[in-house]
Each structure stands twice: as C-alpha cells, then as structure tokens.
Amino acid sequence: MKMTNEHDESYSHILKYTGVFGGVQGLNLMIGLVRNKFVALLLGPGGMGLASLLNSVQGFVSQSTNLGISSSAIPRLSETYERQDHEELCHQIQIVRMWSLIAAIFGFVLCIVISPLLNKLTFSWGNHTLHYALLAPSVAMLAITGGETAIMKATRRLSSLAKVQVVSAIASLFITIPLYYYFWQAAIVPVIVLTSFVVMVATLFYSLRFFPLKQNLSRKMTILSEGSGLVKLGMAFIIGGAFMQAAEVIIRSVMNNSAELDVVGFYNAGYSLTVYYAAIVLSSIESDFFPRLSAISDDQSKMNTAINQEIEVLLLMISPMLVGLMVFLPVLVPLFYTSEFAVVIPMAQVSVFAMYMKSISLPVCYITLAKKDSRSYLLLELLYCIYFVTLVLVGFHLWGLLGTGIALAAAHTIEVVVATVYGHFRYHYKMTSTVIRYIVIQLSVGVLTYLVTCMLDGVAYWLVGVLLVAANMAFSLYVLYQKTSLWPKLSDKVKSKFSRK
C-alpha cells in the first residue's frame, strides 16, 4: 500500500535531519574517540575517573541553576516562529537572553558558595574545594550557551547548530591533548572551563548573526516580568535536570568512595561508549523533533503520527549501529582507550540494550515538554532517577561493572513501559502496530547478537557477527527506501551531475 505524499515527506524530513545531525555527531564521535584515546593514555583510568566526577558535578550545578531556559524557551519560541511574527519573536529572544544572563550570574555565585559541601559529599580523601570553585565560570558559560542554543533550535537554524557542534568538538580536541600532556590531572578543571568557553563563543557567533543583540532599556522591567512565566515552566526542567545530574553524581561518588577512581573511570568509559555511539542518531531528537512537536502540540492526531514516525526511523537507523557496536567492541575498546579498559567490554555490550530502549522512549517522553506539562515531566524524571540509581548501585554491588550494564538496560526498559503507559492514559498516545513490529524485529536481532558475543569466539564469532550486522543493515535500508522518496531524489541529483559532465 502506497503512503500518502504527506507521510512520505514526513519520513523524508525525519531521515534527512537525523542524517544531518547523525553525520555531525558521527564526526564528533570520531573526534571524541581520538580525544579519549589520548586522555586514557595520559591520565589513565584514575585520571579519567576524576574528570568524570568533576564533569558530573559541573553538570549538576549547571542543571540546578540554569532556570531550565534551554528547554522551557523552545516551545514558546517555536510557536512564535511558526506564526511568523518577527517583532514578537525578537522580543521573546530578548527575554530568553536576559534570563540566561541572570541564570549565569546565579550559577557562578552558587558554585563558589557550595564548593566546600560538594567536596565533602563526593570525596573521602583530599580537599577538592578549589576544584569545584574554579568550575564556576564554566557553569555560567553553560547557562549563556543554553539560552542561545534554544533560540537556534526553535528558529530552525539547524545547519548553524550543526556547525557549532563540529567547531566545538575540534576545538575541544586541540585544547585537551596539549594541556593533559603538559599538566596531567592538574589540567582537568582548565580543560572543562576552556571547552565551555569555546562552545559558548561558537554558539554566540552563529546565534548573533541571525538575531543581533538589541538594548531596549525602556522595556527591561517588562522583559523581567514577562520572563517569570518562562522561569516557572523552567523550574520543572531545573528540578528534572538536577535529578538526573544528581543521580550521576551519586553513582560516581559511591563508586569512588566504595572502590576507587579507576572503577569510576571504567564505568564512565563503558557508559560513554554506549551513550555517545547512540547519540549519533538520537541527537536529532532535541534539535529537530522537539521544536516540530511543540509547534503541533495542540493537534493530538498529528502528535501521535509524528512520535510514531520518529520511533520508526530511530529504530531503523540505530539498530544496525548497535549490533555493530556489540560485535566490534573487543576491537574498539583497546583501539580508542587502552588494554586496561578491556574490563568494560561485557558491561558495554549488555548496556547497548539501554539505547534500543532510549530510541523508543525518548520521542514519547517529549510529549510532556511539548505540552508544557511540568508536573508530568517531573514525575517521570523523578521515577526514572529513583529506579536508575537503585538498579545501578545494586547491580554494581552484586556483579561489579557487568551489573551496572545490566542495570542500565533494565532501567531504560522500565522507562519505556512507564512513559508509554503514562503517555497513553494522559495524552491518548497509542503505539502503532508498525512500531511494535519493528521493536520485536530489531530487539530479536539484538538479543541474538548478544548471545553470539557470549557463546562464540574466534572465526565463528566474527563470521556470524558480521553476517548479523550486514543483515540488519540491509533490512533497515530496505524499509527506509520503501518509506521515503529521499533515496530516489539523491539518485536523481547524482545522475544529473554526471549527465552535465
């Protein structure tokens, strides 16, 4: 049965922007892996564990103080942008920038004030108060970056946003390696701060080209009062983001205090391998899908269609990558880290299933954000953090790093069930039979691949593993070909170029 032109264009749009940001994230991933290789060689597991812990705390303070503007601003700006009301859009952008500056000042001050407390909570040895205090500029810069990024997402400046990500990744590489080479662990905080600075400058460079700064002194008080609604919605994002970052800090702090920094470094490496790899595909969700969903949040039928189409495309694109990751991890870990990190391979292989689940739950979870339903958002975030932390710590206690991988997969599986059931009863979301069919097929291939990694070795391992990757990729490409007109369009463009020559 042929699809309508409207549906065909929808799939093509999703595939196009998933591909755009997937390509960008793919480049970022390669740069990140090169950076991680040098960091692993220069700092070792202990140094990577310390960097991971400091980054987690920085993220916690940032999420707790940024007023939620990076997320709460997108629905309002998207709606104004869709109405093509340029004057109102510029006014809303002024509000976002004013409150981003307030958030930056607040975060800077609070980070310094609570640095002694952070030191007591996360370390049982040494005094790292100064380290946490020196993270204050980074927290402030992240608040500015978050506001400008929200402006670019809501106004569909996606190509510029992609350029920012590439520039930031390359700059981070050239900042990290020399500093770690010359100063070792003493460079961890400077690297965090300088990287935040580069990201902020790159974001401002592109954002201000489209929407230059405008000073309207007569309306400053109006801007402050109008922004209160933005901040009220943002409070939900603050609390939700703080829940997630606190969960990460708790996990790493418990590992640091009950084991050692090397274990934190191993856990972070295994977690990063899985999450960052999947980020190649999932990055398009926040950049393209969330603004689109916000713009149609009043039309339930369109929302359901958009969510199910997004899940279908994400599953079809991410599954071959996850199967390939499971098979090739024994090669990738020593290649991109060191042989010391081989202990994370079993953890990373089982935690791959968490990313299958994330590709299903993430589009559904964005309903609460698009609907501006702060209470539901907070409820789902709090529930996730509770079973995430509980499962990871129990898994770590019982089975070490492998247990954390099992816990990650279990936590995200629960998230799929909770988000889908809640979405159905509160927003009348319904998963289509097509989505269910793709879930069953792709998860079956994933389970079969995992069994291969556990039961086979040598030539049989590589032969069966590569065949599974190839078969899964062929299936996904065939379905995407059937659902979109993007491939014929690309073919026509290539043919026309050759014909002109």
Side-chain angles (χ1 to χ4, degrees):
M1 181 178 179
K2 292 184 178 180
M3 300 181 66
T4 64
N5 289 334
E6 183 180 352
H7 280 192
D8 181 80
E9 288 302 316
S10 296
Y11 281 108
S12 296
H13 176 91
I14 297 169
L15 184 60
K16 175 183 177 181
Y17 282 100
T18 302
V20 167
F21 282 93
V24 170
Q25 289 299 324
L27 177 60
N28 290 348
L29 175 70
M30 295 308 299
I31 294 171
L33 290 173
V34 172
R35 184 178 64 246
N36 286 343
K37 177 69 173 182
F38 280 97
V39 173
L41 290 170
L42 295 171
L43 298 186
M48 290 191 72
L50 179 59
S52 168
L53 188 55
L54 290 174
N55 271 301
S56 296
V57 171
Q58 175 223 33
F60 170 70
V61 178
S62 174
Q63 289 288 346
S64 303
T65 59
N66 64 12
L67 306 183
I69 291 171
S70 60
S71 297
S72 65
I74 292 178
R76 180 184 292 189
L77 290 174
S78 293
E79 292 169 4
T80 308
Y81 177 77
E82 287 295 321
R83 294 198 306 267
Q84 298 183 346
D85 187 343
H86 183 72
E87 184 178 347
E88 177 62 19
L89 179 63
C90 290
H91 178 61
Q92 293 293 335
I93 288 172
Q94 280 186 285
I95 294 174
V96 171
R97 284 175 171 162
M98 175 68 75
W99 281 94
S100 294
L101 181 60
I102 293 171
I105 297 170
F106 175 51
F108 183 91
V109 173
L110 187 65
C111 186
I112 294 174
V113 171
I114 67 171
S115 55
L117 177 61
L118 293 172
N119 174 65
K120 289 180 181 179
L121 292 175
T122 54
F123 284 93
S124 60
W125 52 270
N127 190 339
H128 297 81
T129 301
L130 182 60
H131 291 155
Y132 289 129
L134 292 175
L135 290 175
S138 176
V139 172
M141 288 184 282
L142 286 175
I144 300 295
T145 303
E148 298 300 321
T149 302
I151 293 168
M152 294 174 69
K153 288 176 181 176
T155 57
R156 315 296 195 270
R157 311 293 175 176
L158 302 183
S159 60
S160 295
L161 197 59
K163 292 174 185 176
V164 169
Q165 293 178 0
V166 172
V167 170
S168 301
I170 295 173
S172 175
L173 179 66
F174 285 101
I175 289 170
T176 301
I177 296 174
L179 286 176
Y180 282 152
Y181 179 79
Y182 286 107
F183 301 105
W184 198 50
Q185 291 189 11
I188 291 175
V189 172
V191 163
I192 294 173
V193 174
L194 287 173
T195 301
S196 299
F197 175 74
V198 169
V199 175
M200 182 187 72
V201 171
T203 306
L204 284 169
F205 174 79
Y206 285 100
S207 180
L208 294 178
R209 288 174 62 189
F210 299 113
F211 304 101
L213 285 173
K214 292 183 179 180
Q215 294 295 327
N216 192 340
L217 298 177
S218 63
R219 297 195 65 181
K220 272 196 173 180
M221 293 307 298
T222 305
I223 289 172
L224 285 171
S225 62
E226 289 182 6
S228 60
L230 184 73
V231 175
K232 285 179 182 177
L233 176 62
M235 288 302 297
F237 299 113
I238 294 175
I239 300 171
F243 285 159
M244 281 304 304
Q245 291 299 327
E248 293 292 346
V249 172
I250 290 169
I251 289 169
R252 286 167 171 80
S253 297
V254 170
M255 289 181 179
N256 179 37
N257 290 319
S258 64
E260 53 187 13
L261 273 175
D262 283 10
V263 174
V264 181
F266 290 139
Y267 168 77
N268 191 66
Y271 185 83
S272 298
L273 275 168
T274 309
V275 174
Y276 289 166
Y277 200 77
I280 291 177
V281 175
L282 298 180
S283 62
S284 65
I285 285 279
E286 190 175 359
S287 300
D288 173 59
F289 176 67
F290 179 30
R292 283 194 297 112
L293 196 67
S294 299
I296 58 173
S297 59
D298 294 331
D299 191 322
Q300 190 59 51
S301 176
K302 286 184 178 180
M303 281 192 71
N304 276 343
T305 301
I307 292 166
N308 285 314
Q309 288 177 342
E310 192 76 23
I311 295 174
E312 287 179 34
V313 173
L314 288 178
L315 273 174
L316 289 167
M317 292 190 71
I318 204 171
S319 296
M321 301 169 70
L322 294 178
V323 170
L325 181 61
M326 273 194 280
V327 172
F328 291 102
L329 269 171
V331 175
L332 293 175
V333 170
L335 180 64
F336 292 118
Y337 290 92
T338 65
S339 57
E340 286 183 275
F341 287 82
V343 294
V344 309
I345 293 174
M347 169 200 167
Q349 285 175 325
V350 71
S351 63
V352 161
F353 290 101
M355 292 302 100
Y356 276 106
M357 297 300 146
K358 196 70 176 175
S359 64
I360 301 167
S361 65
L362 200 56
V364 181
C365 289
Y366 269 97
I367 301 177
T368 59
L369 303 182
K371 291 280 191 181
K372 305 186 186 75
D373 187 352
S374 57
R375 291 183 180 178
S376 295
Y377 171 76
L378 282 177
L379 175 64
L380 294 177
E381 286 294 293
L382 177 60
L383 287 174
Y384 173 77
C385 289
I386 290 172
Y387 52 74
F388 170 67
V389 172
T390 303
L391 288 171
V392 170
L393 292 182
V394 170
F396 178 70
H397 177 72
L398 294 176
W399 303 297
L401 289 172
L402 175 62
T404 64
I406 296 170
L408 286 170
H412 283 82
T413 302
I414 296 173
E415 183 185 31
V416 169
V417 176
V418 172
T420 304
V421 171
Y422 191 85
H424 174 72
F425 285 103
R426 184 164 180 83
Y427 308 110
H428 309 292
Y429 165 71
K430 185 178 181 180
M431 190 176 285
T432 62
S433 59
T434 304
V435 170
I436 295 172
R437 183 167 67 251
Y438 290 157
I439 291 172
V440 172
I441 292 172
Q442 301 293 13
L443 274 179
S444 297
V445 176
V447 170
L448 182 58
T449 305
Y450 181 71
L451 291 175
V452 167
T453 66
C454 295
M455 300 171 65
L456 299 181
D457 54 22
V459 176
Y461 173 93
W462 292 110
L463 180 62
V464 178
V466 171
L467 283 173
L468 284 170
V469 175
N472 197 234
M473 185 176 295
F475 171 76
S476 292
L477 288 174
Y478 174 76
V479 175
L480 289 171
Y481 176 83
Q482 293 293 316
K483 285 184 174 291
T484 70
S485 60
L486 197 58
W487 305 112
K489 288 178 181 177
L490 290 173
S491 178
D492 291 341
K493 285 185 179 181
V494 172
K495 289 177 181 178
S496 63
K497 285 183 179 180
F498 279 103
S499 63
R500 284 197 296 268
K501 292 181 179 180

